[in-house]
């Protein structure tokens, strides 16, 4: 089965999974998904379907490459421009961690 067919099946399975938004933005008064809210479910679905998602970064682009582990060289890549987080009163490494977390969530 192609990576696209498996990815579509994964999307349907995830859509049929009840997910809760544990992140809370008190200032803007909205809830959002944190990585822990959906990554375990995505990992289990990918494992069941024979997919593996790899996140990587260059200086200006974030990548999510979804590989079909049962097919030779069968993958699809999603990209996003890389914009660095800038949170006041934090160390540069914390901003980098925030950047990676945001991009993993959005990819």
């Amino acid at each position: 089965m192609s990576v696209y067919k498996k990815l579509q099946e994964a999307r349907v399975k995830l859509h049929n999974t009840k997910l809760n938004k544990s992140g809370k933005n008190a200032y803007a008064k909205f809830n959002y998904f944190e990585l822990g809210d959906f990554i375990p479910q995505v990992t289990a679905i990918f494992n069941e379907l024979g997919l593996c998602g790899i996140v990587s970064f260059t200086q200006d682009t974030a990548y999510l490459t979804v590989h079909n582990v049962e097919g030779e060289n069968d993958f699809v890549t999603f990209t996003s421009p890389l914009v660095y987080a800038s949170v006041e009163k934090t160390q540069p490494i914390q901003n980098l961690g925030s950047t990676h977390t945001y991009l993993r969530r959005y990819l």
Side-chain angles (χ1 to χ4, degrees):
M1 186 181 326
S2 77
V3 69
Y4 293 102
K5 175 72 172 152
K6 288 183 176 186
L7 184 57
Q8 183 59 28
E9 285 189 21
R11 288 174 173 169
V12 169
K13 287 179 178 284
L14 185 62
H15 180 74
N16 291 328
T17 302
K18 181 167 174 30
L19 300 174
N20 295 310
K21 296 178 180 181
S22 66
K24 297 181 186 342
N25 184 317
Y27 178 76
K29 297 188 179 11
F30 67 88
N31 296 337
Y32 58 90
F33 289 112
E34 293 187 345
L35 288 175
D37 296 333
F38 62 89
I39 290 295
Q41 292 85 349
V42 169
T43 301
I45 291 168
F46 272 27
N47 188 58
E48 175 187 336
L49 296 175
L51 295 171
C52 178
I54 304 295
V55 176
S56 59
F57 305 95
T58 63
Q59 285 294 99
D60 59 353
T61 306
Y63 300 88
L64 168 60
T65 303
V66 178
H67 296 269
N68 179 358
V69 299
E70 298 166 347
E72 189 174 321
N73 227 10
D74 191 17
F75 63 90
V76 60
T77 301
F78 302 90
T79 63
S80 175
L82 199 145
V83 178
Y84 288 91
S86 178
V87 181
E88 291 184 35
K89 300 180 182 178
T90 59
Q91 298 296 317
I93 192 69
Q94 291 171 299
N95 282 325
L96 180 61
S98 294
T99 299
H100 288 177
T101 299
Y102 282 121
L103 287 165
R104 285 184 66 209
R105 185 174 13 186
Y106 298 138
L107 286 169

